[in-house]
Amino acid sequence: MSDAFEFLLLDVSDRIATVTINRPDKLNALNARVIGELDRMFAALAARDEVGAVILTGAGRAFVAGADIAEIAEAASGPAGLSTVAAFGSRVFTRIERFNKPVIAAVNGFALGGGCELALACHLRIVAKGAKFGLPETKLGLIPGYGGTQRLPRLIGQGRALQLIFTGEMVEAEAALAMGLANQVVDPAGLVDASRSIAKEALKNGPLALAHAITAVTQGAGLPMDEALALEAEHFGAVGRTADMREGTQAFLEKRSATFRGA
Ligand code: COA
């Protein structure tokens, strides 16, 4: 398989990988090829020790305007129907959610359908003024199929999630912030800087602690509270056995900055 990416751009600087979905003529709509490239990109970035955080964004006026509707329509009438389409997208988005380094969605424009779901699979959402979120699938006679019916209610509550799903309405960045869908709203010109600044803050901290926190939060969210707390305790114990934990606590006691080595 070729290492080249047709629809993704990658820039790595200061330990931050910026992945740009680059299909602007179709508002970065997610066809199977784009989703496959995201899968391959995140697998590659997981293995690159010099990368400590990822920013995911879109080229042009959209973050992602959804799954590729032409491809969905064609797949629906094919022998496998849409189940395999959803299973593939969900698997890739879950890989992103479970990525072992912080993943920040820098939402630069439309984040609709699969684009909203992709942003939901990222750990944080920094949003440019003017960007719009929505799950318009019911307008197409569909439902969200890449995790939207599960991740959105967990993030903003069932009532608000169902309202977005029932109406297919688009919500502006400020409304997304008010409902907890966006972490921060910034001027479009400041989107990259704001996203990098959060990534840089995270990169000052222990990488193993970040990885364990991601697992505890994302996997704990789907568990009953007792099991979720047991999972947290397990990860708390695991970080407690790291050299980074000894360095972090020792540095505090010695009133100096910690130097984490990811061990
Ligand atoms: N799938 C496939 N193509 C898409 C797409 C999608 N989800 N979203 C946009 N495009 C394409 C358009 O077909 C158009 O292609 P063309 O120039 O070859 O005709 C191009 O991207 C630009 O989109 P256009 O609709 O002309 O831009 P607009 O500014 O008038 O409207 C949106 C922008 C986002 C409101 C509109 O494109 C839209 O509603 N997209 C679909 C959103 C959606 O339902 N997503 C969920 C899919 S499950």
Side-chain angles (χ1 to χ4, degrees):
M1 197 200 315
S2 158
D3 279 348
F5 292 95
E6 183 183 356
F7 294 120
L8 299 183
L9 305 173
L10 174 66
D11 168 79
V12 180
S13 61
D14 300 331
R15 301 190 57 220
I16 302 167
T18 300
V19 177
T20 304
I21 301 176
N22 187 32
R23 199 190 175 206
D25 55 322
K26 295 291 179 189
L27 302 185
N28 303 323
L30 300 172
N31 59 18
R33 176 83 198 228
V34 178
I35 295 175
E37 289 193 4
L38 283 169
D39 195 26
R40 208 150 45 83
M41 177 65 84
F42 275 86
L45 293 175
R48 285 179 65 168
D49 288 342
E50 83 279 17
V51 170
V54 178
I55 294 172
L56 184 60
T57 193
R61 63 193 176 96
F63 176 69
V64 167
D68 188 311
I69 297 171
E71 203 179 79
I72 292 277
E74 198 180 317
S77 55
L82 289 184
S83 306
T84 46
V85 171
F88 175 51
S90 266
R91 181 180 65 69
V92 175
F93 285 21
T94 297
R95 178 200 276 279
I96 294 171
E97 183 178 51
R98 295 186 180 174
F99 196 64
N100 59 350
K101 308 161 192 183
V103 182
I104 299 171
V107 180
N108 53 301
F110 294 112
L112 304 176
C116 180
E117 293 170 296
L118 182 58
L120 287 167
C122 296
H123 302 136
L124 309 179
R125 285 149 294 280
I126 309 304
V127 180
K129 281 182 189 144
K132 290 183 173 63
F133 287 88
L135 289 177
E137 285 88 345
T138 57
K139 288 179 184 288
L140 302 166
L142 281 167
I143 67 166
Y146 294 158
T149 65
Q150 302 309 308
R151 291 195 179 97
L152 189 62
R154 282 168 168 82
L155 189 64
I156 66 170
Q158 188 167 307
R160 282 191 285 214
L162 277 173
Q163 184 175 335
L164 292 184
I165 292 168
F166 287 164
T167 62
E169 69 190 293
M170 291 191 218
V171 296
E172 302 279 346
E174 289 77 5
L177 180 67
M179 62 177 71
L181 178 45
N183 287 71
Q184 192 182 338
V185 174
V186 298
D187 282 325
L191 182 64
V192 172
D193 281 353
S195 305
R196 290 186 73 83
S197 145
I198 292 178
K200 281 180 186 163
E201 280 304 309
L203 287 174
K204 291 179 190 163
N205 300 327
L208 293 176
L210 297 177
H212 282 283
I214 290 167
T215 307
V217 169
T218 60
Q219 296 196 19
L223 297 175
M225 183 59 94
D226 284 352
E227 289 175 39
L229 290 173
L231 179 77
E232 182 190 72
E234 197 185 301
H235 285 276
F236 191 74
V239 285
R241 292 188 286 276
T242 63
D244 276 357
M245 181 270 176
R246 288 192 293 282
E247 163 65 8
T249 49
Q250 200 57 36
F252 175 83
L253 296 171
E254 293 171 6
K255 301 191 188 304
R256 61 172 173 83
S257 304
T259 304
F260 294 113
R261 302 193 191 286

PDB file of all heavy atoms in Angstrom, residues 158-197:
ATOM      1  N   GLN A 158     -29.057  14.338  26.459  1.00  0.00           N
ATOM      2  CA  GLN A 158     -29.925  13.651  25.499  1.00  0.00           C
ATOM      3  C   GLN A 158     -30.922  14.597  24.822  1.00  0.00           C
ATOM      4  O   GLN A 158     -31.153  14.506  23.620  1.00  0.00           O
ATOM      5  CB  GLN A 158     -30.664  12.532  26.243  1.00  0.00           C
ATOM      6  CG  GLN A 158     -31.439  11.614  25.351  1.00  0.00           C
ATOM      7  CD  GLN A 158     -31.893  10.357  26.098  1.00  0.00           C
ATOM      8  OE1 GLN A 158     -31.086   9.678  26.710  1.00  0.00           O
ATOM      9  NE2 GLN A 158     -33.169  10.082  26.064  1.00  0.00           N
ATOM     10  N   GLY A 159     -31.509  15.503  25.623  1.00  0.00           N
ATOM     11  CA  GLY A 159     -32.533  16.392  25.062  1.00  0.00           C
ATOM     12  C   GLY A 159     -31.973  17.275  23.962  1.00  0.00           C
ATOM     13  O   GLY A 159     -32.547  17.404  22.877  1.00  0.00           O
ATOM     14  N   ARG A 160     -30.832  17.900  24.259  1.00  0.00           N
ATOM     15  CA  ARG A 160     -30.254  18.806  23.256  1.00  0.00           C
ATOM     16  C   ARG A 160     -29.761  18.023  22.037  1.00  0.00           C
ATOM     17  O   ARG A 160     -29.879  18.483  20.902  1.00  0.00           O
ATOM     18  CB  ARG A 160     -29.128  19.623  23.878  1.00  0.00           C
ATOM     19  CG  ARG A 160     -29.686  20.766  24.732  1.00  0.00           C
ATOM     20  CD  ARG A 160     -28.618  21.737  25.142  1.00  0.00           C
ATOM     21  NE  ARG A 160     -27.796  21.174  26.192  1.00  0.00           N
ATOM     22  CZ  ARG A 160     -27.257  21.867  27.172  1.00  0.00           C
ATOM     23  NH1 ARG A 160     -27.462  23.172  27.241  1.00  0.00           N
ATOM     24  NH2 ARG A 160     -26.532  21.287  28.086  1.00  0.00           N
ATOM     25  N   ALA A 161     -29.209  16.825  22.287  1.00  0.00           N
ATOM     26  CA  ALA A 161     -28.722  16.009  21.163  1.00  0.00           C
ATOM     27  C   ALA A 161     -29.900  15.604  20.275  1.00  0.00           C
ATOM     28  O   ALA A 161     -29.837  15.710  19.040  1.00  0.00           O
ATOM     29  CB  ALA A 161     -27.986  14.781  21.680  1.00  0.00           C
ATOM     30  N   LEU A 162     -30.975  15.159  20.892  1.00  0.00           N
ATOM     31  CA  LEU A 162     -32.126  14.730  20.087  1.00  0.00           C
ATOM     32  C   LEU A 162     -32.744  15.901  19.331  1.00  0.00           C
ATOM     33  O   LEU A 162     -33.219  15.740  18.203  1.00  0.00           O
ATOM     34  CB  LEU A 162     -33.167  14.042  20.975  1.00  0.00           C
ATOM     35  CG  LEU A 162     -32.859  12.559  21.247  1.00  0.00           C
ATOM     36  CD1 LEU A 162     -33.837  11.985  22.271  1.00  0.00           C
ATOM     37  CD2 LEU A 162     -32.906  11.721  19.958  1.00  0.00           C
ATOM     38  N   GLN A 163     -32.698  17.091  19.940  1.00  0.00           N
ATOM     39  CA  GLN A 163     -33.219  18.262  19.218  1.00  0.00           C
ATOM     40  C   GLN A 163     -32.418  18.490  17.934  1.00  0.00           C
ATOM     41  O   GLN A 163     -32.978  18.719  16.863  1.00  0.00           O
ATOM     42  CB  GLN A 163     -33.162  19.508  20.108  1.00  0.00           C
ATOM     43  CG  GLN A 163     -33.789  20.726  19.433  1.00  0.00           C
ATOM     44  CD  GLN A 163     -33.860  21.947  20.334  1.00  0.00           C
ATOM     45  OE1 GLN A 163     -33.878  21.823  21.558  1.00  0.00           O
ATOM     46  NE2 GLN A 163     -33.900  23.117  19.742  1.00  0.00           N
ATOM     47  N   LEU A 164     -31.102  18.406  18.050  1.00  0.00           N
ATOM     48  CA  LEU A 164     -30.267  18.602  16.851  1.00  0.00           C
ATOM     49  C   LEU A 164     -30.541  17.509  15.821  1.00  0.00           C
ATOM     50  O   LEU A 164     -30.555  17.768  14.614  1.00  0.00           O
ATOM     51  CB  LEU A 164     -28.782  18.617  17.223  1.00  0.00           C
ATOM     52  CG  LEU A 164     -28.293  19.813  18.047  1.00  0.00           C
ATOM     53  CD1 LEU A 164     -26.787  19.744  18.250  1.00  0.00           C
ATOM     54  CD2 LEU A 164     -28.647  21.120  17.348  1.00  0.00           C
ATOM     55  N   ILE A 165     -30.746  16.282  16.305  1.00  0.00           N
ATOM     56  CA  ILE A 165     -30.991  15.165  15.380  1.00  0.00           C
ATOM     57  C   ILE A 165     -32.389  15.278  14.750  1.00  0.00           C
ATOM     58  O   ILE A 165     -32.558  15.078  13.545  1.00  0.00           O
ATOM     59  CB  ILE A 165     -30.802  13.816  16.119  1.00  0.00           C
ATOM     60  CG1 ILE A 165     -29.314  13.624  16.474  1.00  0.00           C
ATOM     61  CG2 ILE A 165     -31.296  12.648  15.260  1.00  0.00           C
ATOM     62  CD1 ILE A 165     -29.033  12.479  17.441  1.00  0.00           C
ATOM     63  N   PHE A 166     -33.389  15.624  15.550  1.00  0.00           N
ATOM     64  CA  PHE A 166     -34.753  15.750  15.013  1.00  0.00           C
ATOM     65  C   PHE A 166     -34.838  16.838  13.954  1.00  0.00           C
ATOM     66  O   PHE A 166     -35.470  16.673  12.913  1.00  0.00           O
ATOM     67  CB  PHE A 166     -35.745  16.136  16.122  1.00  0.00           C
ATOM     68  CG  PHE A 166     -36.075  15.036  17.098  1.00  0.00           C
ATOM     69  CD1 PHE A 166     -36.682  15.350  18.322  1.00  0.00           C
ATOM     70  CD2 PHE A 166     -35.801  13.702  16.837  1.00  0.00           C
ATOM     71  CE1 PHE A 166     -37.004  14.359  19.235  1.00  0.00           C
ATOM     72  CE2 PHE A 166     -36.115  12.704  17.753  1.00  0.00           C
ATOM     73  CZ  PHE A 166     -36.718  13.038  18.957  1.00  0.00           C
ATOM     74  N   THR A 167     -34.235  17.997  14.238  1.00  0.00           N
ATOM     75  CA  THR A 167     -34.430  19.156  13.358  1.00  0.00           C
ATOM     76  C   THR A 167     -33.389  19.215  12.242  1.00  0.00           C
ATOM     77  O   THR A 167     -33.635  19.821  11.203  1.00  0.00           O
ATOM     78  CB  THR A 167     -34.325  20.474  14.155  1.00  0.00           C
ATOM     79  OG1 THR A 167     -33.005  20.563  14.697  1.00  0.00           O
ATOM     80  CG2 THR A 167     -35.355  20.532  15.277  1.00  0.00           C
ATOM     81  N   GLY A 168     -32.213  18.636  12.475  1.00  0.00           N
ATOM     82  CA  GLY A 168     -31.124  18.763  11.503  1.00  0.00           C
ATOM     83  C   GLY A 168     -30.589  20.182  11.426  1.00  0.00           C
ATOM     84  O   GLY A 168     -29.825  20.521  10.515  1.00  0.00           O
ATOM     85  N   GLU A 169     -30.993  21.031  12.396  1.00  0.00           N
ATOM     86  CA  GLU A 169     -30.593  22.447  12.350  1.00  0.00           C
ATOM     87  C   GLU A 169     -29.080  22.615  12.527  1.00  0.00           C
ATOM     88  O   GLU A 169     -28.422  21.756  13.122  1.00  0.00           O
ATOM     89  CB  GLU A 169     -31.316  23.225  13.470  1.00  0.00           C
ATOM     90  CG  GLU A 169     -30.820  22.841  14.850  1.00  0.00           C
ATOM     91  CD  GLU A 169     -31.668  23.402  16.003  1.00  0.00           C
ATOM     92  OE1 GLU A 169     -31.677  24.624  16.175  1.00  0.00           O
ATOM     93  OE2 GLU A 169     -32.277  22.599  16.727  1.00  0.00           O
ATOM     94  N   MET A 170     -28.573  23.730  12.018  1.00  0.00           N
ATOM     95  CA  MET A 170     -27.163  24.057  12.245  1.00  0.00           C
ATOM     96  C   MET A 170     -27.067  25.005  13.424  1.00  0.00           C
ATOM     97  O   MET A 170     -27.895  25.914  13.555  1.00  0.00           O
ATOM     98  CB  MET A 170     -26.574  24.753  11.021  1.00  0.00           C
ATOM     99  CG  MET A 170     -26.432  23.858   9.822  1.00  0.00           C
ATOM    100  SD  MET A 170     -25.435  24.719   8.590  1.00  0.00           S
ATOM    101  CE  MET A 170     -26.242  24.244   7.091  1.00  0.00           C
ATOM    102  N   VAL A 171     -26.070  24.807  14.274  1.00  0.00           N
ATOM    103  CA  VAL A 171     -25.864  25.741  15.382  1.00  0.00           C
ATOM    104  C   VAL A 171     -24.533  26.464  15.190  1.00  0.00           C
ATOM    105  O   VAL A 171     -23.545  25.881  14.769  1.00  0.00           O
ATOM    106  CB  VAL A 171     -25.931  25.064  16.773  1.00  0.00           C
ATOM    107  CG1 VAL A 171     -27.301  24.496  17.044  1.00  0.00           C
ATOM    108  CG2 VAL A 171     -24.883  23.973  16.925  1.00  0.00           C
ATOM    109  N   GLU A 172     -24.577  27.745  15.507  1.00  0.00           N
ATOM    110  CA  GLU A 172     -23.390  28.596  15.367  1.00  0.00           C
ATOM    111  C   GLU A 172     -22.379  28.260  16.463  1.00  0.00           C
ATOM    112  O   GLU A 172     -22.723  27.671  17.486  1.00  0.00           O
ATOM    113  CB  GLU A 172     -23.797  30.072  15.540  1.00  0.00           C
ATOM    114  CG  GLU A 172     -24.840  30.562  14.578  1.00  0.00           C
ATOM    115  CD  GLU A 172     -24.254  30.940  13.221  1.00  0.00           C
ATOM    116  OE1 GLU A 172     -23.010  31.064  13.137  1.00  0.00           O
ATOM    117  OE2 GLU A 172     -25.029  31.090  12.268  1.00  0.00           O
ATOM    118  N   ALA A 173     -21.159  28.727  16.243  1.00  0.00           N
ATOM    119  CA  ALA A 173     -20.064  28.457  17.180  1.00  0.00           C
ATOM    120  C   ALA A 173     -20.429  28.853  18.616  1.00  0.00           C
ATOM    121  O   ALA A 173     -20.200  28.079  19.559  1.00  0.00           O
ATOM    122  CB  ALA A 173     -18.813  29.214  16.732  1.00  0.00           C
ATOM    123  N   GLU A 174     -21.012  30.041  18.789  1.00  0.00           N
ATOM    124  CA  GLU A 174     -21.312  30.524  20.146  1.00  0.00           C
ATOM    125  C   GLU A 174     -22.349  29.633  20.821  1.00  0.00           C
ATOM    126  O   GLU A 174     -22.251  29.355  22.017  1.00  0.00           O
ATOM    127  CB  GLU A 174     -21.817  31.977  20.121  1.00  0.00           C
ATOM    128  CG  GLU A 174     -20.760  33.015  19.775  1.00  0.00           C
ATOM    129  CD  GLU A 174     -20.412  33.083  18.288  1.00  0.00           C
ATOM    130  OE1 GLU A 174     -21.064  32.375  17.470  1.00  0.00           O
ATOM    131  OE2 GLU A 174     -19.477  33.828  17.944  1.00  0.00           O
ATOM    132  N   ALA A 175     -23.351  29.170  20.054  1.00  0.00           N
ATOM    133  CA  ALA A 175     -24.358  28.267  20.623  1.00  0.00           C
ATOM    134  C   ALA A 175     -23.720  26.927  20.959  1.00  0.00           C
ATOM    135  O   ALA A 175     -24.042  26.307  21.984  1.00  0.00           O
ATOM    136  CB  ALA A 175     -25.514  28.074  19.637  1.00  0.00           C
ATOM    137  N   ALA A 176     -22.787  26.480  20.121  1.00  0.00           N
ATOM    138  CA  ALA A 176     -22.079  25.228  20.392  1.00  0.00           C
ATOM    139  C   ALA A 176     -21.273  25.348  21.692  1.00  0.00           C
ATOM    140  O   ALA A 176     -21.196  24.409  22.485  1.00  0.00           O
ATOM    141  CB  ALA A 176     -21.157  24.876  19.223  1.00  0.00           C
ATOM    142  N   LEU A 177     -20.714  26.531  21.903  1.00  0.00           N
ATOM    143  CA  LEU A 177     -19.953  26.759  23.143  1.00  0.00           C
ATOM    144  C   LEU A 177     -20.892  26.695  24.351  1.00  0.00           C
ATOM    145  O   LEU A 177     -20.597  26.031  25.351  1.00  0.00           O
ATOM    146  CB  LEU A 177     -19.267  28.136  23.079  1.00  0.00           C
ATOM    147  CG  LEU A 177     -18.429  28.520  24.287  1.00  0.00           C
ATOM    148  CD1 LEU A 177     -17.206  27.626  24.411  1.00  0.00           C
ATOM    149  CD2 LEU A 177     -17.990  29.988  24.198  1.00  0.00           C
ATOM    150  N   ALA A 178     -22.048  27.348  24.216  1.00  0.00           N
ATOM    151  CA  ALA A 178     -22.995  27.387  25.339  1.00  0.00           C
ATOM    152  C   ALA A 178     -23.491  25.993  25.702  1.00  0.00           C
ATOM    153  O   ALA A 178     -23.767  25.714  26.869  1.00  0.00           O
ATOM    154  CB  ALA A 178     -24.174  28.298  24.986  1.00  0.00           C
ATOM    155  N   MET A 179     -23.590  25.101  24.734  1.00  0.00           N
ATOM    156  CA  MET A 179     -24.098  23.752  25.044  1.00  0.00           C
ATOM    157  C   MET A 179     -22.973  22.761  25.346  1.00  0.00           C
ATOM    158  O   MET A 179     -23.237  21.578  25.560  1.00  0.00           O
ATOM    159  CB  MET A 179     -25.047  23.245  23.955  1.00  0.00           C
ATOM    160  CG  MET A 179     -24.456  23.079  22.604  1.00  0.00           C
ATOM    161  SD  MET A 179     -25.672  22.383  21.408  1.00  0.00           S
ATOM    162  CE  MET A 179     -26.798  23.723  21.162  1.00  0.00           C
ATOM    163  N   GLY A 180     -21.737  23.219  25.358  1.00  0.00           N
ATOM    164  CA  GLY A 180     -20.624  22.334  25.728  1.00  0.00           C
ATOM    165  C   GLY A 180     -20.076  21.524  24.572  1.00  0.00           C
ATOM    166  O   GLY A 180     -19.241  20.642  24.752  1.00  0.00           O
ATOM    167  N   LEU A 181     -20.548  21.851  23.372  1.00  0.00           N
ATOM    168  CA  LEU A 181     -20.053  21.138  22.191  1.00  0.00           C
ATOM    169  C   LEU A 181     -18.686  21.695  21.773  1.00  0.00           C
ATOM    170  O   LEU A 181     -17.803  20.953  21.339  1.00  0.00           O
ATOM    171  CB  LEU A 181     -21.107  21.287  21.084  1.00  0.00           C
ATOM    172  CG  LEU A 181     -20.907  20.702  19.708  1.00  0.00           C
ATOM    173  CD1 LEU A 181     -20.389  19.284  19.742  1.00  0.00           C
ATOM    174  CD2 LEU A 181     -22.238  20.739  18.951  1.00  0.00           C
ATOM    175  N   ALA A 182     -18.519  23.005  21.922  1.00  0.00           N
ATOM    176  CA  ALA A 182     -17.216  23.639  21.661  1.00  0.00           C
ATOM    177  C   ALA A 182     -16.526  23.911  22.991  1.00  0.00           C
ATOM    178  O   ALA A 182     -17.169  24.261  23.972  1.00  0.00           O
ATOM    179  CB  ALA A 182     -17.420  24.949  20.909  1.00  0.00           C
ATOM    180  N   ASN A 183     -15.204  23.755  23.003  1.00  0.00           N
ATOM    181  CA  ASN A 183     -14.432  24.125  24.199  1.00  0.00           C
ATOM    182  C   ASN A 183     -14.162  25.621  24.243  1.00  0.00           C
ATOM    183  O   ASN A 183     -14.104  26.221  25.310  1.00  0.00           O
ATOM    184  CB  ASN A 183     -13.074  23.415  24.200  1.00  0.00           C
ATOM    185  CG  ASN A 183     -13.203  21.960  24.504  1.00  0.00           C
ATOM    186  OD1 ASN A 183     -13.691  21.201  23.678  1.00  0.00           O
ATOM    187  ND2 ASN A 183     -12.798  21.557  25.689  1.00  0.00           N
ATOM    188  N   GLN A 184     -13.945  26.205  23.056  1.00  0.00           N
ATOM    189  CA  GLN A 184     -13.528  27.608  22.981  1.00  0.00           C
ATOM    190  C   GLN A 184     -13.887  28.117  21.596  1.00  0.00           C
ATOM    191  O   GLN A 184     -13.795  27.362  20.620  1.00  0.00           O
ATOM    192  CB  GLN A 184     -12.006  27.662  23.186  1.00  0.00           C
ATOM    193  CG  GLN A 184     -11.424  29.025  23.419  1.00  0.00           C
ATOM    194  CD  GLN A 184      -9.896  28.958  23.568  1.00  0.00           C
ATOM    195  OE1 GLN A 184      -9.329  27.915  23.898  1.00  0.00           O
ATOM    196  NE2 GLN A 184      -9.236  30.057  23.315  1.00  0.00           N
ATOM    197  N   VAL A 185     -14.305  29.384  21.528  1.00  0.00           N
ATOM    198  CA  VAL A 185     -14.587  30.001  20.227  1.00  0.00           C
ATOM    199  C   VAL A 185     -13.596  31.135  20.015  1.00  0.00           C
ATOM    200  O   VAL A 185     -13.377  31.941  20.927  1.00  0.00           O
ATOM    201  CB  VAL A 185     -16.043  30.525  20.168  1.00  0.00           C
ATOM    202  CG1 VAL A 185     -16.301  31.284  18.874  1.00  0.00           C
ATOM    203  CG2 VAL A 185     -17.027  29.365  20.297  1.00  0.00           C
ATOM    204  N   VAL A 186     -12.998  31.173  18.846  1.00  0.00           N
ATOM    205  CA  VAL A 186     -11.947  32.163  18.583  1.00  0.00           C
ATOM    206  C   VAL A 186     -12.164  32.782  17.203  1.00  0.00           C
ATOM    207  O   VAL A 186     -12.897  32.230  16.374  1.00  0.00           O
ATOM    208  CB  VAL A 186     -10.535  31.508  18.636  1.00  0.00           C
ATOM    209  CG1 VAL A 186     -10.252  30.949  20.021  1.00  0.00           C
ATOM    210  CG2 VAL A 186     -10.384  30.415  17.592  1.00  0.00           C
ATOM    211  N   ASP A 187     -11.500  33.914  16.963  1.00  0.00           N
ATOM    212  CA  ASP A 187     -11.539  34.484  15.616  1.00  0.00           C
ATOM    213  C   ASP A 187     -10.900  33.503  14.645  1.00  0.00           C
ATOM    214  O   ASP A 187      -9.902  32.857  15.001  1.00  0.00           O
ATOM    215  CB  ASP A 187     -10.761  35.811  15.575  1.00  0.00           C
ATOM    216  CG  ASP A 187     -11.580  36.934  16.172  1.00  0.00           C
ATOM    217  OD1 ASP A 187     -12.817  36.926  16.003  1.00  0.00           O
ATOM    218  OD2 ASP A 187     -10.975  37.784  16.850  1.00  0.00           O
ATOM    219  N   PRO A 188     -11.422  33.415  13.419  1.00  0.00           N
ATOM    220  CA  PRO A 188     -10.849  32.463  12.460  1.00  0.00           C
ATOM    221  C   PRO A 188      -9.334  32.618  12.314  1.00  0.00           C
ATOM    222  O   PRO A 188      -8.603  31.622  12.242  1.00  0.00           O
ATOM    223  CB  PRO A 188     -11.581  32.796  11.153  1.00  0.00           C
ATOM    224  CG  PRO A 188     -12.882  33.370  11.596  1.00  0.00           C
ATOM    225  CD  PRO A 188     -12.624  34.088  12.884  1.00  0.00           C
ATOM    226  N   ALA A 189      -8.854  33.871  12.319  1.00  0.00           N
ATOM    227  CA  ALA A 189      -7.409  34.083  12.131  1.00  0.00           C
ATOM    228  C   ALA A 189      -6.596  33.522  13.308  1.00  0.00           C
ATOM    229  O   ALA A 189      -5.398  33.264  13.157  1.00  0.00           O
ATOM    230  CB  ALA A 189      -7.127  35.567  11.964  1.00  0.00           C
ATOM    231  N   GLY A 190      -7.259  33.335  14.450  1.00  0.00           N
ATOM    232  CA  GLY A 190      -6.530  32.846  15.632  1.00  0.00           C
ATOM    233  C   GLY A 190      -6.727  31.373  15.906  1.00  0.00           C
ATOM    234  O   GLY A 190      -6.278  30.858  16.936  1.00  0.00           O
ATOM    235  N   LEU A 191      -7.400  30.672  14.973  1.00  0.00           N
ATOM    236  CA  LEU A 191      -7.755  29.264  15.237  1.00  0.00           C
ATOM    237  C   LEU A 191      -6.514  28.378  15.426  1.00  0.00           C
ATOM    238  O   LEU A 191      -6.445  27.581  16.371  1.00  0.00           O
ATOM    239  CB  LEU A 191      -8.624  28.726  14.090  1.00  0.00           C
ATOM    240  CG  LEU A 191      -9.114  27.288  14.250  1.00  0.00           C
ATOM    241  CD1 LEU A 191     -10.039  27.159  15.466  1.00  0.00           C
ATOM    242  CD2 LEU A 191      -9.836  26.820  12.988  1.00  0.00           C
ATOM    243  N   VAL A 192      -5.556  28.542  14.550  1.00  0.00           N
ATOM    244  CA  VAL A 192      -4.361  27.693  14.625  1.00  0.00           C
ATOM    245  C   VAL A 192      -3.609  27.988  15.919  1.00  0.00           C
ATOM    246  O   VAL A 192      -3.236  27.073  16.678  1.00  0.00           O
ATOM    247  CB  VAL A 192      -3.455  27.925  13.386  1.00  0.00           C
ATOM    248  CG1 VAL A 192      -2.123  27.214  13.535  1.00  0.00           C
ATOM    249  CG2 VAL A 192      -4.180  27.450  12.139  1.00  0.00           C
ATOM    250  N   ASP A 193      -3.405  29.284  16.205  1.00  0.00           N
ATOM    251  CA  ASP A 193      -2.657  29.656  17.413  1.00  0.00           C
ATOM    252  C   ASP A 193      -3.355  29.157  18.672  1.00  0.00           C
ATOM    253  O   ASP A 193      -2.701  28.649  19.585  1.00  0.00           O
ATOM    254  CB  ASP A 193      -2.503  31.184  17.508  1.00  0.00           C
ATOM    255  CG  ASP A 193      -1.394  31.679  16.603  1.00  0.00           C
ATOM    256  OD1 ASP A 193      -0.672  30.832  16.031  1.00  0.00           O
ATOM    257  OD2 ASP A 193      -1.254  32.905  16.455  1.00  0.00           O
ATOM    258  N   ALA A 194      -4.675  29.313  18.732  1.00  0.00           N
ATOM    259  CA  ALA A 194      -5.404  28.880  19.937  1.00  0.00           C
ATOM    260  C   ALA A 194      -5.289  27.369  20.112  1.00  0.00           C
ATOM    261  O   ALA A 194      -5.092  26.871  21.228  1.00  0.00           O
ATOM    262  CB  ALA A 194      -6.871  29.290  19.835  1.00  0.00           C
ATOM    263  N   SER A 195      -5.377  26.640  19.010  1.00  0.00           N
ATOM    264  CA  SER A 195      -5.288  25.176  19.091  1.00  0.00           C
ATOM    265  C   SER A 195      -3.870  24.751  19.481  1.00  0.00           C
ATOM    266  O   SER A 195      -3.672  23.868  20.332  1.00  0.00           O
ATOM    267  CB  SER A 195      -5.669  24.547  17.748  1.00  0.00           C
ATOM    268  OG  SER A 195      -6.937  25.003  17.347  1.00  0.00           O
ATOM    269  N   ARG A 196      -2.887  25.403  18.899  1.00  0.00           N
ATOM    270  CA  ARG A 196      -1.485  25.064  19.221  1.00  0.00           C
ATOM    271  C   ARG A 196      -1.166  25.418  20.665  1.00  0.00           C
ATOM    272  O   ARG A 196      -0.411  24.722  21.343  1.00  0.00           O
ATOM    273  CB  ARG A 196      -0.514  25.809  18.281  1.00  0.00           C
ATOM    274  CG  ARG A 196      -0.548  25.299  16.855  1.00  0.00           C
ATOM    275  CD  ARG A 196       0.515  25.962  16.004  1.00  0.00           C
ATOM    276  NE  ARG A 196       1.852  25.477  16.308  1.00  0.00           N
ATOM    277  CZ  ARG A 196       2.380  24.361  15.806  1.00  0.00           C
ATOM    278  NH1 ARG A 196       1.681  23.620  14.972  1.00  0.00           N
ATOM    279  NH2 ARG A 196       3.592  23.986  16.143  1.00  0.00           N
ATOM    280  N   SER A 197      -1.750  26.510  21.130  1.00  0.00           N
ATOM    281  CA  SER A 197      -1.438  26.937  22.493  1.00  0.00           C
ATOM    282  C   SER A 197      -1.953  25.896  23.511  1.00  0.00           C
ATOM    283  O   SER A 197      -1.249  25.578  24.481  1.00  0.00           O
ATOM    284  CB  SER A 197      -2.016  28.331  22.668  1.00  0.00           C
ATOM    285  OG  SER A 197      -2.473  28.530  23.916  1.00  0.00           O
TER     286      SER A 197
END
